[in-house]
Amino acid sequence: MAIALLATSGCIPRGAPPESYGDKGSTPSPSSRPLSSELTASSRGHIRTADIPNSVKQPTPSWLTRQVTADAKTISDSTYIVKSGDTIRSIGNQTGAGSEAIARANNIPAPFVVRTGQHLKIPGGRYHLVREGQSGIAIARAYGIEWSRIADLNDLQPPYVLRNGQRLLLPSAPETAQMTVEQRAHAFSLDIDDLATGSEPAIATDAAPKAPTATPKKPLHTDVAIAEPRAFSGKFDWPLSGQIIGRFGPSGDGRRNDGINIAANRGDPIRAAADGVVAYAGSAIAVYGGLILIKHGDGWITAYGHAEQILVTRGQSVHRGDVIARAGATGSVNKPQLHFEIRDKRTPVDPLRYLPAARE
Protein backbone atom coordinates (compact mmCIF):
# COMPACT_ATOMS: atom_id res chain seq x y z
CA MET A 1 0.00 0.00 0.00
CA ALA A 2 1.57 3.25 -1.09
CA ILE A 3 2.00 6.08 1.37
CA ALA A 4 -0.71 8.70 1.04
CA LEU A 5 0.59 12.19 0.21
CA LEU A 6 -1.68 15.10 1.05
CA ALA A 7 -0.79 18.55 -0.22
CA THR A 8 -0.62 20.87 2.77
CA SER A 9 1.09 24.08 3.68
CA GLY A 10 3.53 24.97 6.40
CA CYS A 11 7.28 24.98 6.63
CA ILE A 12 9.37 22.85 8.92
CA PRO A 13 11.73 24.78 11.15
CA ARG A 14 15.34 24.21 11.96
CA GLY A 15 16.48 24.43 15.52
CA ALA A 16 14.80 24.25 18.92
CA PRO A 17 14.17 20.88 20.63
CA PRO A 18 10.61 19.63 21.15
CA GLU A 19 8.66 19.93 24.37
CA SER A 20 5.37 18.07 23.75
CA TYR A 21 4.49 14.39 23.47
CA GLY A 22 1.44 13.08 21.63
CA ASP A 23 -1.08 10.24 21.54
CA LYS A 24 -0.69 6.81 19.99
CA GLY A 25 -2.02 5.81 16.60
CA SER A 26 -2.44 2.45 14.86
CA THR A 27 -0.01 -0.01 13.34
CA PRO A 28 0.61 0.19 9.57
CA SER A 29 0.56 -2.47 6.88
CA PRO A 30 2.41 -1.16 3.80
CA SER A 31 2.98 -3.54 0.92
CA SER A 32 6.37 -4.72 -0.23
CA ARG A 33 8.13 -6.68 -2.96
CA PRO A 34 11.04 -9.13 -2.85
CA LEU A 35 14.28 -7.81 -1.39
CA SER A 36 15.89 -5.17 -3.57
CA SER A 37 19.54 -4.14 -3.38
CA GLU A 38 20.57 -2.70 -0.03
CA LEU A 39 22.42 0.58 0.41
CA THR A 40 24.89 0.89 3.24
CA ALA A 41 28.02 2.86 4.08
CA SER A 42 30.24 3.06 7.12
CA SER A 43 30.59 6.83 7.38
CA ARG A 44 29.16 8.85 10.22
CA GLY A 45 28.18 12.42 11.07
CA HIS A 46 28.41 15.32 8.62
CA ILE A 47 29.63 13.56 5.51
CA ARG A 48 31.06 15.25 2.43
CA THR A 49 29.51 14.52 -0.96
CA ALA A 50 32.86 13.11 -2.08
CA ASP A 51 32.59 10.48 0.66
CA ILE A 52 29.32 9.02 -0.70
CA PRO A 53 29.97 5.66 -2.40
CA ASN A 54 28.80 5.25 -5.99
CA SER A 55 27.75 1.66 -5.36
CA VAL A 56 27.51 -0.60 -2.36
CA LYS A 57 27.18 -4.32 -1.82
CA GLN A 58 23.93 -5.78 -0.51
CA PRO A 59 24.36 -7.29 2.97
CA THR A 60 22.61 -10.53 3.85
CA PRO A 61 19.34 -9.67 5.64
CA SER A 62 19.25 -11.08 9.17
CA TRP A 63 15.87 -12.76 8.73
CA LEU A 64 17.23 -14.98 5.95
CA THR A 65 20.51 -16.07 7.53
CA ARG A 66 19.16 -18.99 9.57
CA GLN A 67 16.83 -21.66 8.21
CA VAL A 68 13.78 -22.17 10.41
CA THR A 69 11.99 -25.52 10.48
CA ALA A 70 8.28 -25.37 11.24
CA ASP A 71 8.37 -27.92 14.06
CA ALA A 72 6.06 -26.30 16.63
CA LYS A 73 4.40 -28.56 19.17
CA THR A 74 0.81 -28.21 20.37
CA ILE A 75 0.02 -28.85 24.04
CA SER A 76 -3.20 -28.81 26.06
CA ASP A 77 -4.11 -26.67 29.06
CA SER A 78 -2.89 -28.26 32.27
CA THR A 79 -1.84 -27.60 35.85
CA TYR A 80 1.69 -27.94 37.17
CA ILE A 81 2.74 -28.16 40.84
CA VAL A 82 6.09 -26.45 41.41
CA LYS A 83 8.84 -28.71 42.77
CA SER A 84 12.00 -27.72 44.61
CA GLY A 85 14.55 -26.29 42.17
CA ASP A 86 12.00 -25.44 39.48
CA THR A 87 12.20 -22.18 37.55
CA ILE A 88 9.78 -20.68 35.06
CA ARG A 89 12.12 -21.70 32.22
CA SER A 90 12.54 -25.29 33.48
CA ILE A 91 8.77 -25.61 33.88
CA GLY A 92 8.35 -24.41 30.31
CA ASN A 93 10.87 -27.02 29.15
CA GLN A 94 9.01 -29.77 31.00
CA THR A 95 5.54 -28.81 29.82
CA GLY A 96 6.33 -27.46 26.35
CA ALA A 97 4.75 -24.06 27.07
CA GLY A 98 6.49 -20.72 26.81
CA SER A 99 7.85 -19.48 30.13
CA GLU A 100 6.57 -15.98 29.33
CA ALA A 101 3.11 -17.40 28.60
CA ILE A 102 3.15 -19.27 31.92
CA ALA A 103 4.12 -16.08 33.75
CA ARG A 104 1.30 -14.13 32.07
CA ALA A 105 -1.28 -16.84 32.76
CA ASN A 106 -0.39 -16.83 36.46
CA ASN A 107 0.22 -13.08 36.91
CA ILE A 108 3.85 -13.66 37.89
CA PRO A 109 5.87 -10.43 37.53
CA ALA A 110 9.61 -10.17 36.79
CA PRO A 111 11.92 -11.67 37.98
CA PHE A 112 9.40 -14.56 37.67
CA VAL A 113 9.97 -16.31 41.01
CA VAL A 114 7.91 -19.44 41.71
CA ARG A 115 7.39 -21.20 45.05
CA THR A 116 7.58 -24.91 45.86
CA GLY A 117 4.04 -26.32 45.99
CA GLN A 118 2.56 -23.51 43.91
CA HIS A 119 -0.12 -24.60 41.43
CA LEU A 120 0.47 -23.05 38.01
CA LYS A 121 -1.87 -22.86 35.04
CA ILE A 122 -0.08 -24.11 31.94
CA PRO A 123 -1.63 -22.36 28.91
CA GLY A 124 -2.15 -24.73 26.01
CA GLY A 125 -1.36 -23.78 22.44
CA ARG A 126 1.09 -24.22 19.60
CA TYR A 127 4.65 -23.24 20.56
CA HIS A 128 7.80 -22.78 18.46
CA LEU A 129 11.15 -23.37 20.19
CA VAL A 130 13.57 -20.58 19.22
CA ARG A 131 17.06 -21.69 18.18
CA GLU A 132 20.29 -19.70 17.96
CA GLY A 133 20.29 -17.02 15.29
CA GLN A 134 16.63 -17.37 14.35
CA SER A 135 14.84 -14.07 13.82
CA GLY A 136 11.18 -13.32 14.33
CA ILE A 137 10.69 -12.65 10.62
CA ALA A 138 12.21 -16.01 9.66
CA ILE A 139 10.05 -17.81 12.22
CA ALA A 140 6.91 -16.12 10.98
CA ARG A 141 7.68 -16.99 7.35
CA ALA A 142 8.32 -20.64 8.24
CA TYR A 143 4.69 -20.86 9.39
CA GLY A 144 3.19 -18.43 6.85
CA ILE A 145 1.99 -16.10 9.62
CA GLU A 146 2.48 -12.35 9.97
CA TRP A 147 5.23 -11.55 12.47
CA SER A 148 3.08 -8.79 13.98
CA ARG A 149 0.48 -11.43 14.90
CA ILE A 150 3.10 -13.50 16.73
CA ALA A 151 4.50 -10.40 18.45
CA ASP A 152 0.98 -9.54 19.66
CA LEU A 153 0.29 -13.05 20.95
CA ASN A 154 3.54 -13.03 22.95
CA ASP A 155 3.29 -9.43 24.16
CA LEU A 156 6.85 -8.77 23.03
CA GLN A 157 8.52 -5.66 24.43
CA PRO A 158 11.68 -3.67 23.64
CA PRO A 159 14.42 -4.44 22.80
CA TYR A 160 12.69 -7.25 20.83
CA VAL A 161 15.64 -9.65 21.01
CA LEU A 162 14.65 -13.33 21.11
CA ARG A 163 16.55 -15.81 23.29
CA ASN A 164 17.69 -19.33 22.53
CA GLY A 165 15.25 -21.78 24.11
CA GLN A 166 12.41 -19.26 24.22
CA ARG A 167 9.03 -20.68 23.19
CA LEU A 168 6.83 -18.45 21.06
CA LEU A 169 3.07 -18.95 21.06
CA LEU A 170 1.68 -19.24 17.52
CA PRO A 171 -1.85 -19.05 16.13
CA SER A 172 -3.40 -22.54 16.17
CA ALA A 173 -3.04 -24.83 13.16
CA PRO A 174 -6.82 -24.66 12.41
CA GLU A 175 -6.70 -20.85 12.52
CA THR A 176 -3.72 -20.82 10.17
CA ALA A 177 -5.43 -23.27 7.80
CA GLN A 178 -8.40 -20.89 7.49
CA MET A 179 -6.26 -17.95 6.38
CA THR A 180 -7.23 -16.40 3.05
CA VAL A 181 -4.89 -16.20 0.07
CA GLU A 182 -4.44 -12.48 0.77
CA GLN A 183 -3.56 -13.13 4.42
CA ARG A 184 -1.01 -15.76 3.42
CA ALA A 185 0.56 -13.42 0.88
CA HIS A 186 0.73 -10.59 3.41
CA ALA A 187 2.61 -12.87 5.82
CA PHE A 188 5.53 -12.77 3.37
CA SER A 189 5.61 -8.99 2.98
CA LEU A 190 7.63 -6.67 5.18
CA ASP A 191 6.71 -3.49 6.99
CA ILE A 192 8.54 -1.17 9.36
CA ASP A 193 7.15 -2.94 12.42
CA ASP A 194 8.61 -6.24 11.16
CA LEU A 195 12.08 -4.77 10.72
CA ALA A 196 11.95 -2.91 14.05
CA THR A 197 10.73 -5.87 16.13
CA GLY A 198 11.50 -9.07 14.24
CA SER A 199 14.84 -8.76 12.44
CA GLU A 200 17.26 -9.31 15.34
CA PRO A 201 18.79 -12.82 15.57
CA ALA A 202 18.15 -14.82 18.74
CA ILE A 203 20.99 -14.98 21.26
CA ALA A 204 21.81 -17.04 24.35
CA THR A 205 19.83 -16.31 27.50
CA ASP A 206 22.91 -15.04 29.33
CA ALA A 207 24.40 -13.17 26.35
CA ALA A 208 24.29 -9.42 25.77
CA PRO A 209 23.62 -7.77 22.39
CA LYS A 210 26.70 -6.25 20.79
CA ALA A 211 27.40 -2.63 21.70
CA PRO A 212 27.19 -0.15 18.80
CA THR A 213 30.14 1.85 17.56
CA ALA A 214 30.28 5.39 16.17
CA THR A 215 32.75 4.52 13.39
CA PRO A 216 32.22 0.94 12.25
CA LYS A 217 34.73 -0.40 9.73
CA LYS A 218 31.98 -2.47 8.09
CA PRO A 219 28.29 -3.22 8.65
CA LEU A 220 27.67 -5.25 11.81
CA HIS A 221 27.05 -8.83 10.70
CA THR A 222 23.36 -9.62 10.67
CA ASP A 223 23.91 -12.77 12.75
CA VAL A 224 24.72 -10.41 15.65
CA ALA A 225 22.05 -8.76 17.79
CA ILE A 226 22.74 -5.10 18.50
CA ALA A 227 22.13 -3.21 21.72
CA GLU A 228 19.99 -0.10 21.75
CA PRO A 229 20.43 2.92 24.07
CA ARG A 230 19.47 2.28 27.67
CA ALA A 231 17.25 5.35 27.78
CA PHE A 232 15.78 7.91 25.41
CA SER A 233 17.45 11.32 25.49
CA GLY A 234 14.00 12.96 25.57
CA LYS A 235 14.42 15.25 22.54
CA PHE A 236 13.44 14.91 18.88
CA ASP A 237 14.40 17.45 16.25
CA TRP A 238 13.48 17.91 12.60
CA PRO A 239 15.33 15.51 10.29
CA LEU A 240 14.90 17.80 7.29
CA SER A 241 13.75 21.36 6.59
CA GLY A 242 11.01 21.63 3.96
CA GLN A 243 7.29 21.78 3.21
CA ILE A 244 4.99 19.14 4.69
CA ILE A 245 3.37 17.36 1.74
CA GLY A 246 1.89 14.37 3.59
CA ARG A 247 0.38 14.39 7.06
CA PHE A 248 -0.11 11.65 9.64
CA GLY A 249 -3.29 9.58 9.59
CA PRO A 250 -5.94 8.39 7.13
CA SER A 251 -6.09 10.04 3.72
CA GLY A 252 -9.76 9.38 3.02
CA ASP A 253 -9.15 6.80 0.28
CA GLY A 254 -8.63 3.83 2.59
CA ARG A 255 -4.92 4.49 2.94
CA ARG A 256 -3.02 5.63 5.99
CA ASN A 257 0.21 7.55 6.48
CA ASP A 258 2.04 6.42 9.62
CA GLY A 259 4.30 9.47 9.53
CA ILE A 260 4.75 12.70 7.65
CA ASN A 261 6.26 13.42 4.24
CA ILE A 262 8.58 16.39 3.83
CA ALA A 263 9.45 17.91 0.45
CA ALA A 264 13.16 18.01 -0.34
CA ASN A 265 15.69 18.69 -3.04
CA ARG A 266 17.63 15.72 -4.32
CA GLY A 267 20.71 15.27 -2.17
CA ASP A 268 19.45 17.31 0.80
CA PRO A 269 20.97 16.03 4.06
CA ILE A 270 18.69 13.91 6.26
CA ARG A 271 19.66 14.13 9.92
CA ALA A 272 19.07 11.85 12.90
CA ALA A 273 16.14 13.22 14.90
CA ALA A 274 17.65 12.06 18.22
CA ASP A 275 20.58 10.14 19.64
CA GLY A 276 20.34 6.43 18.92
CA VAL A 277 21.55 3.28 17.20
CA VAL A 278 20.90 2.35 13.57
CA ALA A 279 18.78 -0.81 13.66
CA TYR A 280 18.27 -1.09 9.91
CA ALA A 281 19.67 0.55 6.78
CA GLY A 282 18.61 -0.75 3.39
CA SER A 283 15.83 -1.05 0.84
CA ALA A 284 13.95 -4.25 1.66
CA ILE A 285 10.56 -2.46 1.76
CA ALA A 286 9.90 -1.37 -1.80
CA VAL A 287 7.40 1.36 -0.99
CA TYR A 288 9.96 3.31 1.09
CA GLY A 289 13.05 2.82 -1.11
CA GLY A 290 16.16 3.69 0.91
CA LEU A 291 15.09 3.28 4.54
CA ILE A 292 16.81 3.81 7.90
CA LEU A 293 15.46 2.80 11.31
CA ILE A 294 17.02 4.25 14.46
CA LYS A 295 16.30 2.96 17.97
CA HIS A 296 16.52 5.61 20.68
CA GLY A 297 15.88 3.61 23.86
CA ASP A 298 12.73 3.14 25.97
CA GLY A 299 10.98 1.74 22.89
CA TRP A 300 11.27 4.91 20.75
CA ILE A 301 12.07 4.36 17.06
CA THR A 302 12.34 6.76 14.11
CA ALA A 303 12.12 5.82 10.42
CA TYR A 304 13.49 7.72 7.42
CA GLY A 305 12.28 6.66 3.97
CA HIS A 306 12.85 7.50 0.27
CA ALA A 307 16.57 8.17 0.78
CA GLU A 308 18.71 8.09 -2.35
CA GLN A 309 21.95 7.51 -0.47
CA ILE A 310 22.35 5.93 2.95
CA LEU A 311 25.38 7.08 4.91
CA VAL A 312 25.13 4.91 8.03
CA THR A 313 25.05 1.19 8.68
CA ARG A 314 23.37 -1.25 11.05
CA GLY A 315 24.92 -1.14 14.52
CA GLN A 316 26.22 2.42 14.19
CA SER A 317 25.61 4.94 16.95
CA VAL A 318 24.45 8.40 15.88
CA HIS A 319 23.78 11.73 17.57
CA ARG A 320 20.91 14.12 17.02
CA GLY A 321 21.73 16.23 13.98
CA ASP A 322 24.17 13.78 12.38
CA VAL A 323 23.71 13.42 8.62
CA ILE A 324 22.53 9.85 8.02
CA ALA A 325 21.33 9.97 4.39
CA ARG A 326 20.66 12.10 1.31
CA ALA A 327 17.12 12.76 0.13
CA GLY A 328 15.81 11.29 -3.10
CA ALA A 329 12.73 9.93 -4.85
CA THR A 330 13.19 6.21 -4.20
CA GLY A 331 10.38 3.78 -3.53
CA SER A 332 6.80 4.71 -4.41
CA VAL A 333 7.31 8.47 -4.91
CA ASN A 334 8.24 10.45 -8.02
CA LYS A 335 9.69 13.59 -6.44
CA PRO A 336 12.39 13.98 -3.76
CA GLN A 337 11.07 13.84 -0.21
CA LEU A 338 11.51 12.25 3.20
CA HIS A 339 8.99 9.92 4.79
CA PHE A 340 9.54 10.34 8.54
CA GLU A 341 7.98 8.31 11.36
CA ILE A 342 8.19 8.30 15.15
CA ARG A 343 7.09 5.12 16.90
CA ASP A 344 6.40 4.55 20.58
CA LYS A 345 7.24 0.85 20.87
CA ARG A 346 5.14 -0.67 18.09
CA THR A 347 2.74 2.24 17.65
CA PRO A 348 3.29 5.04 15.10
CA VAL A 349 2.51 8.49 16.51
CA ASP A 350 2.07 11.88 14.85
CA PRO A 351 5.58 13.36 14.51
CA LEU A 352 4.16 16.91 14.52
CA ARG A 353 3.18 16.42 18.16
CA TYR A 354 6.71 15.40 19.13
CA LEU A 355 8.74 17.95 17.17
CA PRO A 356 9.36 21.66 17.75
CA ALA A 357 6.44 23.85 16.71
CA ALA A 358 6.58 25.04 13.11
CA ARG A 359 7.36 28.67 12.37
CA GLU A 360 5.56 30.67 9.73
Side-chain angles (χ1 to χ4, degrees):
M1 180 168 60
I3 297 299
L5 299 182
L6 306 178
T8 58
S9 61
C11 292
I12 295 179
R14 307 176 190 271
E19 300 293 339
S20 61
Y21 294 86
D23 300 324
K24 295 181 178 181
S26 61
T27 304
S29 301
S31 63
S32 65
R33 65 185 179 197
L35 297 178
S36 56
S37 62
E38 307 271 335
L39 299 174
T40 59
S42 60
S43 304
R44 173 187 179 272
H46 300 267
I47 301 169
R48 300 172 300 165
T49 302
D51 294 328
I52 301 172
N54 292 323
S55 62
V56 289
K57 184 178 180 181
Q58 174 178 332
T60 303
S62 63
W63 56 93
L64 297 179
T65 56
R66 294 296 174 93
Q67 182 69 33
V68 174
T69 300
D71 58 359
K73 299 185 184 305
T74 300
I75 65 169
S76 300
D77 290 335
S78 63
T79 300
Y80 182 89
I81 302 175
V82 179
K83 302 186 294 292
S84 177
D86 278 343
T87 64
I88 281 282
R89 178 54 66 90
S90 70
I91 294 169
N93 290 338
Q94 294 177 65
T95 62
S99 54
E100 296 84 358
I102 295 172
R104 288 195 301 273
N106 293 276
N107 298 314
I108 301 174
F112 311 116
V113 176
V114 293
R115 304 182 308 277
T116 301
Q118 184 177 0
H119 287 63
L120 297 179
K121 300 175 185 175
I122 304 301
R126 185 166 64 140
Y127 291 92
H128 172 82
L129 178 65
V130 178
R131 277 80 165 189
E132 181 182 2
Q134 293 183 349
S135 68
I137 294 173
I139 292 169
R141 289 186 170 186
Y143 294 95
I145 302 167
E146 287 186 65
W147 169 244
S148 60
R149 174 81 172 112
I150 299 174
D152 286 338
L153 280 175
N154 292 274
D155 191 28
L156 296 184
Q157 299 294 322
Y160 308 113
V161 176
L162 301 178
R163 299 285 176 169
N164 304 349
Q166 182 177 357
R167 284 179 167 81
L168 291 176
L169 180 63
L170 306 175
S172 68
E175 179 183 346
T176 303
Q178 293 175 6
M179 290 172 57
T180 65
V181 173
E182 291 77 12
Q183 288 173 325
R184 290 181 183 278
H186 194 64
F188 289 89
S189 67
L190 288 175
D191 60 25
I192 288 176
D193 182 63
D194 292 335
L195 293 177
T197 67
S199 61
E200 294 290 340
I203 59 176
T205 301
D206 58 352
K210 185 175 178 61
T213 177
T215 55
K217 294 181 180 179
K218 59 182 180 179
L220 186 62
H221 196 279
T222 51
D223 258 356
V224 178
I226 57 173
E228 63 178 66
R230 293 184 179 179
F232 175 47
S233 63
K235 293 181 180 295
F236 286 114
D237 209 346
W238 293 98
L240 183 74
S241 180
Q243 185 181 32
I244 302 172
I245 57 174
R247 290 188 178 268
F248 179 85
S251 65
D253 60 358
R255 298 176 179 179
R256 179 181 178 83
N257 192 346
D258 288 323
I260 58 175
N261 291 67
I262 306 169
N265 295 312
R266 184 178 179 185
D268 278 354
I270 298 170
R271 302 177 186 276
D275 297 352
V277 176
V278 177
Y280 175 81
S283 55
I285 303 180
V287 69
Y288 296 120
L291 175 69
I292 297 170
L293 302 183
I294 298 178
K295 293 187 176 182
H296 304 284
D298 295 329
W300 291 99
I301 300 168
T302 51
Y304 312 75
H306 305 311
E308 182 174 82
Q309 293 166 319
I310 295 177
L311 307 176
V312 290
T313 190
R314 179 178 181 271
Q316 183 171 341
S317 61
V318 294
H319 295 288
R320 183 163 57 106
D322 282 352
V323 177
I324 59 173
R326 299 283 176 180
T330 62
S332 64
V333 300
N334 56 17
K335 58 182 179 181
Q337 60 191 269
L338 168 67
H339 174 74
F340 176 65
E341 295 186 13
I342 296 178
R343 291 174 175 245
D344 181 1
K345 296 183 174 67
R346 298 181 56 212
T347 304
V349 296
D350 187 354
L352 296 182
R353 301 189 65 179
Y354 287 71
L355 295 168
R359 301 180 189 135
E360 296 297 332

